[in-house]
């Protein structure tokens, strides 16, 4: 959709060292040619015969209602070789309107695409939903259209979606977003500078690739208080930032053009923009997003926030702080800032529960009560001991977000746990802390746990339990007694089920009414048409044959577990049964083919359910069934097993959940629904130790 993305994409594809190009070269044995759309006249017939040809352009180049004057629709003699063997009568091609070649096929890029039917890949597809965009696709007649978008609209046909959690699991994005708010814009700027300096220290310790954390500032628009110029001068005059470390990227000022931000000798640490970088800008060193625009009125903040989510080198770092992104917003109420940030994440395509789960407070305790939570104050454990500065630094590497290590006024070291110290945190602490400190640490931890026993969930104390699984012996293997797994060992065929549809399942009743609309004097009148002119449903159409109906149904009645040959045979039997045994005219079936396809899909789903019921009964309750309960293959419940599952954020505070009150996994029902009521009943049992779902 933009020239920025077009240029970046073309450069990446032309670079033999870029992963994009390496994949293509491997797939096509190096026979790859990449063209900017402005260079389409350089494409030769030999290129199209022998190579993969990739043309990179913007949709605006093609998306016009009037094609006159557009280069891609114009006649080019240099393209004549592509059309030398094309029949003059070939349909669908645009023709010259005037001159000596009037009426002849136009040698245009659009016609060339129409002939070759390219695979079209559309980025930011939510911007290509107009009827004019569809006209473009019809002109170039793609063999297939693949769309990518982070914010799909109603007109996008979603074949596959990727959640934020999946991206996080693949180490592609920095999550969670750590949120900090300030009452003034100067405070937000100062906080962003401090965070960048802190991240730089972590980056200097990290040995897995060069990282220079960058702050992305969103200034206000002209006429408002904190414009680009005001912010830049503030950074220089009041924050003592070297001007060489600041770059401005707006429509009028483009300091980043020609600069490689990934080079170790690049000085840029701060980038100021308004909205110029909201699309197409890609620098995974961007870690801190600081928006000085009013959080409730900013329309572009969500896309700018997306600029700081990319993980450098798509790899999780040992330094935990480098695996998160940071947002600094101007707000007098943390909850207001957090809700705004959540809404922006949702606007970017995150599920609402994912957005909530991936927002952290910079200052511990600020997020209590956020998003409807009514959390108790977190227990805090403080240990004071004698340790050197070097020992202090070693301990601080353990878990910077959960363990705070500082030097007191008396020179002693303070180790502070915010929240519950979990077994793995304790283990890492003892691994890093000098051996001479282990004794006092164990003593302090024991005191802390005894004092806050009511606040510590069983899982946080290291408790575990195993729920045994019901297993079944199937074909010599011991497998989980789950229907989906049992079906993997069960062979069944569509041919074993009748290719029949009863009248109750599918019937055609002729109820067509035809009306005529005509002028009666100066008025429109509507009247029933003559019955002799009623459209008959029994008229044969030359192209309507039983085979064509079967082929059409094959495209609509698809099932991932049924092979096409097997499905075609069964569909053919169905059509034969309906036309021969039930005497339904083929023309009626063709007119009702969408309903017929839906009924056949329901029929096949019914067959599968019958097979599922059968395999379940046979393997678990049949005379030959061999079942056993296994703890070895059981489901182990342990701390953080639900780390990537959305959490319950309703009005109730559960006291006896295995994971603790703030980590209860979400329920299927809404607050007050049947599952929540069941959980409340469990939680109220007087002798209950703990429960989980």
């Amino acid at each position: 959709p933009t020239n920025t993305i077009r240029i970046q994409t073309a450069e990446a594809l032309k670079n033999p060292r870029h992963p994009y190009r390496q994949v293509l070269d491997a797939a096509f044995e190096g026979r790859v040619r990449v063209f900017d759309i402005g260079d389409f006249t350089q494409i030769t017939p030999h290129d199209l015969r022998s190579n993969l040809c990739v043309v990179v352009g913007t949709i605006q180049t093609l998306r016009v209602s009037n094609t006159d004057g557009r280069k891609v629709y114009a006649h080019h003699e240099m393209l004549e070789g592509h059309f030398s063997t094309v029949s003059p009568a070939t349909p669908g091609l645009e023709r010259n309107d005037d001159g000596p070649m009037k009426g002849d096929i136009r040698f245009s890029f659009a016609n060339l695409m129409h002939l070759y039917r390219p695979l079209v890949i559309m980025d930011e597809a939510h911007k290509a939903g107009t009827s004019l965009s569809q006209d473009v696709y019809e002109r170039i007649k793609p063999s297939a259209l693949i769309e990518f978008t982070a914010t799909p609209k109603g007109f996008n046909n979603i074949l596959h979606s990727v959640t934020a959690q999946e991206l996080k699991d693949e180490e592609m994005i920095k999550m969670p977003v750590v949120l900090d708010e300030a009452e003034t814009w100067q405070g937000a700027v100062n906080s962003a500078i401090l965070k960048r300096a802190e991240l730089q220290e972590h980056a200097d310790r990290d040995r897995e690739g060069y990282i220079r954390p960058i702050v992305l500032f969103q200034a206000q628009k002209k006429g408002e208080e904190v414009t680009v110029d005001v912010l830049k001068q503030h950074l220089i005059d009041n924050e003592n930032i070297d001007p060489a470390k600041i770059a401005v990227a707006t429509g009028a000022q483009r300091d980043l053009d020609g600069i490689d931000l990934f080079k170790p000798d690049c000085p840029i640490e701060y980038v100021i923009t308004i909205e110029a970088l909201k699309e197409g800008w890609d620098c995974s060193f961007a870690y801190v997003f600081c928006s000085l625009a009013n959080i409730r009125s900013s329309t572009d903040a969500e896309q700018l926030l997306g600029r700081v989510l990319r993980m450098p080198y798509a790899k999780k770092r040992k330094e935990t702080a480098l695996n998160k992104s940071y947002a600094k917003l101007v707000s007098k109420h943390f909850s207001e800032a957090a809700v705004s940030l959540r809404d922006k994440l949702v606007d970017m395509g995150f599920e609402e529960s994912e957005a909530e789960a991936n927002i952290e407070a910079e200052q511990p305790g600020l997020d209590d009560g956020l998003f409807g939570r009514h959390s108790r104050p977190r227990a805090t454990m403080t240990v004071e001991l004698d340790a050197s500065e070097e020992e202090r630094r070693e301990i601080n590497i353990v878990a910077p977000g959960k363990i705070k290590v500082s030097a007191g006024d008396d020179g002693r070291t303070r180790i502070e746990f915010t929240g519950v110290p979990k077994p793995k945190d304790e283990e890492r602490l003892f691994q890093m802390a000098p051996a001479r400190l282990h004794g006092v640490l164990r003593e302090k931890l024991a005191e802390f746990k005894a004092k806050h026993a009511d606040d510590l969930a069983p899982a946080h104390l290291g408790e575990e339990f195993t729920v045994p699984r019901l297993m079944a012996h199937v074909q010599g293997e011991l497998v989980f007694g789950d229907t989906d797994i049992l079906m993997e060992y069960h062979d069944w065929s569509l041919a074993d089920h009748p290719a029949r549809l009863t009248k109750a399942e599918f019937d055609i009743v002729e109820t067509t009414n035809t009306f005529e609309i005509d002028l009666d004097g100066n008025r429109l009148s509507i009247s029933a048409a003559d019955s002799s002119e009623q459209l008959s449903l029994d008229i044969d159409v030359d192209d309507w044959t039983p085979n064509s109906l079967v082929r059409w149904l094959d495209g609509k009645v698809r099932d991932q577990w049924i092979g096409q040959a097997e499905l075609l045979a069964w569909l053919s039997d169905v059509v034969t049964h309906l036309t021969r045994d039930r005497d339904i005219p083929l023309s009626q079936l063709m007119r009702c083919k969408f309903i017929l396809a839906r009924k056949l899909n329901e029929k096949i789903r019914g067959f599968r359910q019958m097979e599922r019921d059968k395999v379940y009964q046979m393997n678990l309750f049949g005379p030959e069934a061999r079942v056993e309960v296994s703890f070895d293959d059981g489901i182990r419940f342990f701390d953080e097993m639900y780390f990537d599952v959305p959490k319950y954020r309703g009005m109730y505070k559960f006291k006896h959940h295995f994971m603790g009150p703030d980590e209860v996994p979400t329920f299927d029902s809404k607050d007050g629904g049947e599952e929540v009521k069941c959980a409340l009943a469990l939680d109220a049992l007087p002798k209950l130790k703990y429960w989980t779902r």
Side-chain angles (χ1 to χ4, degrees):
T2 66
N3 279 319
T4 302
I5 299 178
R6 174 185 64 83
I7 293 168
Q8 288 179 349
T9 306
E11 287 178 350
L13 289 170
K14 289 178 180 179
N15 180 1
R17 293 187 298 276
H18 196 283
Y20 291 175
R21 180 58 179 267
Q22 289 174 348
V23 170
L24 292 180
D25 282 340
F28 293 89
E29 300 176 344
R31 293 179 289 108
V32 178
R33 300 230 35 212
V34 179
F35 301 90
D36 189 282
I37 197 166
D39 302 324
F40 64 80
T41 55
Q42 298 177 17
I43 303 174
T44 67
H46 175 74
D47 289 329
L48 294 178
R49 283 195 303 269
S50 307
N51 303 303
L52 166 70
C53 294
V54 183
V55 182
V56 185
T58 65
I59 194 169
Q60 286 84 349
T61 307
L62 292 155
R63 187 168 58 192
V64 288
S65 53
N66 184 358
T67 60
D68 291 345
R70 283 296 177 108
K71 188 177 178 183
V72 292
Y73 293 106
H75 184 86
H76 294 275
E77 295 294 340
M78 294 175 68
L79 297 179
E80 181 178 4
H82 295 284
F83 297 90
S84 59
T85 59
V86 177
S87 168
T90 302
L93 300 178
E94 294 186 336
R95 298 173 184 276
N96 291 312
D97 299 325
D98 48 31
M101 300 181 68
K102 182 177 181 179
D104 292 347
I105 293 174
R106 187 181 297 171
F107 302 160
S108 68
F109 175 76
N111 275 348
L112 185 63
M113 292 296 97
H114 193 92
L115 282 175
Y116 277 88
R117 304 203 60 195
L119 168 67
V120 171
I121 300 175
M122 178 67 202
D123 195 18
E124 303 285 349
H126 57 279
K127 295 189 174 185
T130 64
S131 58
L132 188 55
S133 296
Q134 300 308 311
D135 291 343
V136 170
Y137 297 144
E138 288 180 17
R139 288 171 189 158
I140 62 178
K141 199 181 179 184
S143 57
L145 173 60
I146 299 175
E147 299 182 323
F148 294 112
T149 174
T151 52
K153 304 297 183 187
F155 55 79
N156 293 125
N157 178 31
I158 301 176
L159 299 179
H160 182 69
S161 62
V162 180
T163 67
Q165 189 60 51
E166 288 178 274
L167 293 176
K168 183 178 177 181
D169 292 343
E170 292 291 332
E171 303 182 4
M172 293 175 69
I173 57 174
K174 313 183 194 93
M175 295 294 277
V177 179
V178 181
L179 173 62
D180 193 17
E181 50 81 29
E183 292 191 13
T184 64
W185 68 265
Q186 294 94 336
V189 170
N190 182 265
S191 178
I193 293 170
L194 287 173
K195 177 55 66 177
R196 202 216 72 80
E198 178 190 330
L199 293 172
Q200 186 65 64
E201 290 185 3
H202 290 293
D204 291 342
R205 287 198 296 266
D206 194 276
R207 297 288 180 248
E208 299 182 47
Y210 171 77
I211 291 178
R212 184 182 68 263
I214 290 175
V215 179
L216 180 59
F217 286 110
Q218 182 189 21
Q220 295 178 351
K221 297 177 181 178
K222 283 187 177 180
E224 299 185 44
E225 180 186 4
V226 195
T227 61
V228 171
D229 293 337
V230 169
L231 175 56
K232 182 175 181 180
Q233 207 58 45
H234 173 81
L235 291 173
I236 297 170
D237 296 342
N238 300 298
E239 299 292 351
N240 203 30
I241 302 298
D242 184 347
K245 296 181 178 181
I246 305 170
V248 175
T250 62
Q253 190 172 348
R254 312 195 63 83
D255 294 351
L256 292 175
D257 287 357
I259 291 179
D260 184 354
L261 290 170
F262 293 103
K263 283 189 173 182
D265 60 355
C266 176
I268 303 298
E269 294 177 355
Y270 305 92
V271 176
I272 303 174
T273 187
I274 301 174
E275 59 180 30
L277 303 181
K278 67 180 183 178
E279 288 174 345
W281 187 74
D282 182 23
C283 178
S284 54
F285 284 178
Y287 265 86
V288 184
F289 168 61
C290 180
S291 176
L292 307 179
N294 186 294
I295 58 170
R296 287 169 295 184
S297 64
S298 173
T299 56
D300 302 304
E302 60 265 20
Q303 287 183 307
L304 285 169
L305 176 61
R307 303 306 100 195
V308 305
L309 293 181
R310 278 282 303 277
M311 182 72 84
Y313 312 109
K315 183 180 179 182
K316 197 171 183 179
R317 325 303 297 180
K318 288 183 179 179
E319 296 284 336
T320 308
L322 296 177
N323 298 326
K324 301 177 182 180
S325 48
Y326 301 84
K328 308 290 181 179
L329 302 179
V330 181
S331 171
K332 294 183 180 178
H333 301 285
F334 179 82
S335 58
E336 183 183 66
V339 169
S340 174
L341 179 58
R342 178 197 64 185
D343 292 344
K344 295 187 190 312
L345 288 172
V346 171
D347 289 340
M348 291 162 62
F350 287 61
E351 296 293 332
E352 185 167 334
S353 57
E354 287 182 325
E356 292 182 7
N358 283 297
I359 297 175
E360 277 185 8
E362 179 75 62
Q363 301 175 42
L366 272 180
D367 54 350
D368 291 342
L370 187 59
F371 306 130
R373 276 178 277 182
H374 304 288
S375 305
R376 290 172 290 189
R378 294 181 179 181
T380 301
M381 182 199 77
T382 302
V383 178
E384 289 193 355
L385 40 81
D386 293 315
S388 67
E389 185 175 347
E390 184 178 348
E391 289 173 335
R392 212 162 33 236
R393 193 161 47 247
E394 288 180 0
I395 298 171
N396 203 26
I397 295 174
V398 181
K402 298 177 181 179
I403 302 173
K404 183 178 180 181
V405 182
S406 59
D409 295 336
D410 56 0
R412 303 189 77 201
T413 295
R414 291 168 55 88
I415 303 177
E416 185 176 328
F417 280 93
T418 300
V420 178
K422 297 181 179 181
K424 68 173 187 178
D425 296 328
E426 292 182 26
E427 181 182 349
R428 294 177 69 198
L429 180 62
F430 283 112
Q431 285 176 352
M432 299 304 299
R436 68 180 185 83
L437 304 178
H438 288 189
V440 67
L441 281 174
R442 285 197 177 89
E443 180 183 336
K444 294 290 186 180
L445 283 169
E447 290 177 7
F448 176 72
K449 290 179 180 179
K451 182 179 178 181
H452 296 283
D454 293 339
D455 297 323
L456 303 181
H460 298 163
L461 291 171
E463 290 198 31
E464 297 183 359
F465 66 92
T466 299
V467 174
R469 288 200 208 216
L470 179 65
M471 311 291 286
H473 289 270
V474 182
Q475 297 180 16
E477 293 187 43
L478 186 65
V479 300
F480 178 34
D482 176 80
T483 309
D484 288 334
I485 294 177
L486 296 175
M487 282 292 286
E488 294 178 6
Y489 293 83
H490 176 63
D491 292 326
W492 69 282
S493 173
L494 201 54
D496 299 333
H497 296 272
R500 304 283 185 272
L501 284 175
T502 65
K503 289 193 69 171
E505 293 173 316
F506 176 78
D507 199 10
I508 299 174
V509 180
E510 190 170 339
T511 59
T512 300
N513 290 313
T514 305
F515 294 88
E516 293 179 345
I517 302 176
D518 202 356
L519 279 172
D520 179 12
N522 294 318
R523 296 180 306 142
L524 280 174
S525 65
I526 303 174
S527 60
D530 189 330
S531 59
S532 64
E533 296 180 6
Q534 292 278 357
L535 178 64
S536 172
L537 295 182
D538 299 342
I539 297 175
D540 289 327
V541 178
D542 289 342
D543 294 332
W544 290 358
T545 65
N547 282 339
S548 66
L549 176 57
V550 169
R551 285 195 301 272
W552 185 88
L553 289 171
D554 174 54
K556 298 295 180 183
V557 188
R558 280 299 173 93
D559 190 292
Q560 60 179 317
W561 291 282
I562 298 174
Q564 188 179 26
E566 181 182 350
L567 181 61
L568 282 170
W570 188 80
L571 290 173
S572 181
D573 290 344
V574 169
V575 172
T576 300
H577 159 71
L578 293 173
T579 55
R580 186 184 64 193
D581 301 339
R582 289 192 50 195
D583 202 27
I584 300 177
L586 179 64
S587 55
Q588 291 193 18
L589 291 178
M590 292 295 289
R591 292 178 186 279
C592 302
K593 59 186 179 181
F594 285 95
I595 298 173
L596 176 59
R598 188 172 73 244
K599 293 295 182 181
L600 291 175
N601 273 312
E602 292 173 1
K603 192 81 172 174
I604 292 175
R605 282 197 296 269
F607 293 156
R608 170 164 290 101
Q609 190 57 50
M610 289 168 56
E611 295 290 339
R612 288 173 64 86
D613 294 344
K614 182 169 70 176
V615 76
Y616 182 82
Q617 292 292 329
M618 178 178 67
N619 286 290
L620 297 183
F621 303 102
E624 304 295 326
R626 292 176 55 210
V627 298
E628 64 180 67
V629 173
S630 170
F631 276 90
D632 292 337
D633 295 290
I635 302 171
R636 184 171 67 93
F637 285 75
F638 57 94
D639 182 33
E640 292 196 348
M641 68 175 295
Y642 294 117
F643 80 96
D644 59 347
V645 174
K647 304 303 186 289
Y648 171 73
R649 295 293 181 254
M651 60 184 294
Y652 302 108
K653 181 59 62 178
F654 295 105
K655 297 179 180 178
H656 299 296
H657 193 275
F658 178 66
M659 296 293 175
D662 295 322
E663 297 183 31
V664 179
T666 190
F667 300 97
D668 288 340
S669 68
K670 294 183 179 179
D671 214 13
E674 189 174 50
E675 280 196 349
V676 179
K677 290 178 180 177
C678 176
L680 284 169
L682 286 174
D683 205 60
L685 293 175
K687 296 184 179 180
L688 181 77
K689 183 178 180 183
Y690 53 77
W691 66 273
T692 189
R693 173 187 181 223

